[in-house]
Amino acid sequence: MPIKIPRAPKKAEKKPAVRTGKKFGFQSVKGMHDTLPEDFGYRDKVEKAVKKVANFYGFLHIDTPILEDAKLYERGTGLTSEVVEKQMYTIRTGTGEYVALRPEQTPGVVRAYIEHALVYSYNPGKFYYSGPMFRHEQPQSGRFRQFNQCGFEILNSNDMVYHAQIIEASYKICQELKLKNVQVKLNSIGCRNCRPGYVKKLKEYYKDKLSKICKDCTQRYKDNPLRMLDCKNEKCVPFKAEAPQSIDHLCTSCKRDFKTVLEYMDELHVPYMIDVTLVRGLDYYTKTVFELFAGEEGNALGGGGGYDYLSEILGGPKMPGVGAALGVERLIGTMKSQGVAPLPPMQSKVFLVYMGDQAKKRLLSMLEEFYEAGITVHEAFAKESLKAQLKVADKEKAEYALIVGQKEVFEEMVLLRDMKNGSQETVPMKRIVETIKKKI
Ligand code: HAM
């Protein structure tokens, strides 16, 4: 006998008087945001792409703590980088140590490689990671105080093929996500040997312009002149065009290395352009530096470069490295603006519907039988009426509803309803899992 579905109540259910939205006393901290279920379709898609690309290129998964000794970043990321100078969340613990919420993960990965002597197991060490980072920045579009990065690091090899591979892997993630117009900007900022000579030339160039550039750049002139080329202030932009370029001041080995990277890049079909003003904001970079953009304008999707001395700066052995990180929120923002679909939400083809307490109890154990069989089934046990439960099943696009009432419990039967055409059949409870298995 077909089951009778009760009519909907005439009046909509009254919502309980609770304070929600802005009226609720708590909100997420400025610059930090919740990732709601509807956003996880995007985030999961990014994670899936990262895993696929990482596995393909032989990167191994690594994670390091969110809290590290603050000195790791002061020395590694660098005291003159804006990230450490102005944006780091530093905490003094009860025992007087200074720890920092990681603003980036590269120094942490290098520390872990040295601390665990991973060189004996992984040489070169190829690692990938993904997780939250923290920077006390002024929040704006695509810029948060807590954000997620996915990144790659290759340690202990100075083969330039890995500089190209890091760029390729970063680009591949964008391709996996079907992002359009992604372009790589590339430069070389030299090494210990050639950079001081270049910096001297840069300072000479800016010497008679100090009164005309922004306040931050007058400070950068003293602490980190390279960063003047990164300045977006309208006072400073006009001077960048005539400024000496690092690629004209590379030593023989850096020149050769940059040429090699470009040759590899030409093999890879990654769209790139040389940007002589690209310098990056972290202090450890050497040789190749790069950033990825979707289109001409806007925030970088990711960036990275070589860091030949980071290990030594941290007190470790001589060990070159190269890496990159992509901003997950920025990838998601671009997916949304370019209309890239998220992963569909987790759906179940089968939905359990109960009528009465006895049936609810019986379905609780039936859930476990489906779990053992590896079949996902959903339920709406908190709803009492048959109609309300079927409504959820419908919303979730379930193909079959398994309906059990007191009579069915007594007779050890299940009413199997085909949600598409409304047809129903009764199936013995002990055969329901295998019946469903055949149907889906
Ligand atoms: P980064 O350029 O500072 O490099 O950050 C990499 C990416 O993280 C940026 O391109 C951007 O997409 C994202 N990102 C940075 N800050 C924020 C923010 N406040 N809000 C949202 N997204 C942000 C690094 O972090 C280096 N560790 C990359 C690297 C790895 N270099 C060598 N190995």
Side-chain angles (χ1 to χ4, degrees):
M1 203 176 84
I3 204 126
K4 251 186 147 180
I5 299 176
R7 280 199 192 157
K10 284 214 174 90
K11 264 193 187 167
E13 263 179 54
K14 229 183 173 184
K15 291 228 167 99
V18 286
R19 286 202 245 180
T20 56
K22 291 258 154 69
K23 287 186 195 149
F24 179 56
F26 287 103
Q27 282 159 25
S28 63
V29 171
K30 187 177 173 187
M32 312 208 170
H33 59 275
D34 303 307
T35 306
L36 302 177
E38 53 263 37
D39 267 330
F40 261 101
Y42 290 98
R43 198 146 132 193
D44 288 345
K45 198 165 188 169
V46 174
E47 291 287 330
K48 204 173 154 196
V50 172
K51 275 209 166 79
K52 183 175 170 186
V53 171
N55 287 339
F56 181 81
Y57 290 104
F59 289 90
L60 303 172
H61 209 169
I62 197 165
D63 198 13
T64 56
I66 287 173
L67 283 178
E68 294 265 11
D69 187 331
K71 285 203 278 301
L72 184 75
Y73 302 110
E74 288 168 8
R75 284 205 225 154
T77 312
L79 276 173
T80 66
S81 69
E82 224 157 271
V83 168
V84 172
E85 198 190 354
K86 298 185 185 153
Q87 302 169 349
M88 201 154 75
Y89 284 90
T90 308
I91 304 161
R92 187 174 187 270
T93 67
T95 45
E97 301 143 278
Y98 285 93
V99 291
L101 289 176
R102 65 182 183 201
E104 56 141 349
Q105 212 164 335
T106 308
V109 173
V110 172
R111 176 202 47 70
Y113 191 75
I114 303 167
E115 183 180 335
H116 303 288
L118 296 183
V119 66
Y120 297 112
S121 334
Y122 312 108
N123 190 11
K126 292 177 74 174
F127 304 104
Y128 81 99
Y129 50 84
S130 158
M133 311 293 152
F134 304 82
R135 296 182 190 178
H136 196 269
E137 301 207 52
Q138 195 48 42
Q140 47 186 282
S141 162
R143 200 169 284 281
F144 310 102
R145 291 182 175 173
Q146 180 180 338
F147 57 97
N148 291 282
Q149 274 187 352
C150 50
F152 301 105
E153 311 293 344
I154 302 182
L155 304 178
N156 211 28
S157 168
N158 54 20
D159 193 324
M160 288 299 121
V161 76
Y162 287 131
H163 283 225
Q165 191 175 74
I166 285 282
I167 299 173
E168 163 82 336
S170 310
Y171 182 74
K172 260 282 177 353
I173 289 176
C174 302
Q175 271 194 319
E176 276 294 321
L177 297 172
K178 306 258 182 307
L179 302 187
K180 293 189 279 281
N181 308 322
V182 176
Q183 207 188 37
V184 176
K185 290 185 181 173
L186 200 63
N187 193 17
S188 173
I189 53 169
C191 68
R192 254 179 201 163
N193 300 326
C194 48
R195 188 147 354 129
Y198 169 60
V199 169
K200 202 169 157 213
K201 284 263 160 35
L202 201 59
K203 286 185 91 164
E204 275 166 21
Y205 169 76
Y206 276 105
K207 202 172 170 185
D208 58 357
K209 299 171 182 69
L210 288 175
S211 58
K212 298 177 191 138
I213 57 178
C214 76
K215 218 171 114 221
D216 283 345
C217 275
T218 52
Q219 191 58 40
R220 285 177 189 136
Y221 180 86
K222 290 182 208 140
D223 300 338
N224 192 349
L226 231 58
R227 296 234 43 230
M228 297 168 80
L229 297 174
D230 202 23
C231 186
K232 309 276 182 298
N233 190 303
E234 56 185 28
K235 280 181 163 179
C236 307
V237 171
F239 298 119
K240 287 204 268 184
E242 297 295 315
Q245 301 176 353
S246 57
I247 47 171
D248 293 334
H249 297 83
L250 298 177
C251 59
T252 319
S253 104
C254 284
K255 216 179 262 174
R256 189 194 55 226
D257 284 347
F258 193 46
K259 188 169 163 276
T260 310
V261 172
L262 296 181
E263 281 166 8
Y264 287 132
M265 291 300 296
D266 290 334
E267 286 298 310
L268 291 172
H269 309 295
V270 174
Y272 75 88
M273 58 176 280
I274 296 172
D275 178 350
V276 293
T277 61
L278 184 72
V279 288
R280 306 275 301 139
L282 314 176
D283 288 359
Y284 48 64
Y285 287 113
T286 51
K287 296 186 181 168
T288 319
V289 285
F290 64 91
E291 281 181 344
L292 289 94
F293 293 86
E296 285 293 297
E297 297 297 319
N299 290 322
L301 293 176
Y307 46 86
D308 284 359
Y309 316 120
L310 178 54
S311 167
E312 285 169 71
I313 294 167
L314 297 177
K318 257 191 172 148
M319 185 181 76
V322 60
L326 291 147
V328 173
E329 285 75 7
R330 295 203 185 161
L331 290 171
I332 292 174
T334 311
M335 284 166 79
K336 287 182 176 173
S337 68
Q338 295 190 357
V340 177
L343 282 185
M346 173 64 193
Q347 274 173 343
S348 156
K349 290 184 176 164
V350 188
F351 205 90
L352 302 186
V353 176
Y354 77 99
M355 284 177 297
D357 279 350
Q358 261 185 314
K360 197 183 206 173
K361 274 186 205 152
R362 181 61 188 90
L363 286 187
L364 210 54
S365 57
M366 195 184 284
L367 255 181
E368 298 311 303
E369 291 163 32
F370 277 107
Y371 180 85
E372 292 303 324
I375 300 172
T376 307
V377 290
H378 283 177
E379 43 70 28
F381 284 158
K383 310 242 181 252
E384 274 182 20
S385 79
L386 177 68
K387 184 179 160 69
Q389 293 178 64
L390 285 173
K391 208 170 151 188
V392 180
D394 214 34
K395 198 173 156 203
E396 291 205 4
K397 298 194 174 66
E399 288 173 20
Y400 300 99
L402 307 185
I403 305 167
V404 175
Q406 213 168 348
K407 178 170 162 281
E408 283 74 19
V409 174
F410 184 71
E411 290 173 358
E412 290 271 304
M413 300 296 272
V414 177
L415 203 61
L416 196 164
R417 181 183 171 94
D418 185 318
M419 295 293 284
K420 271 191 214 135
N421 59 22
S423 68
Q424 299 185 152
E425 59 180 302
T426 44
V427 178
M429 264 180 198
K430 57 176 186 250
R431 290 226 308 275
I432 189 64
V433 173
E434 108 196 33
T435 308
I436 286 294
K437 223 181 208 169
K438 280 186 199 143
K439 282 185 184 285
I440 59 175

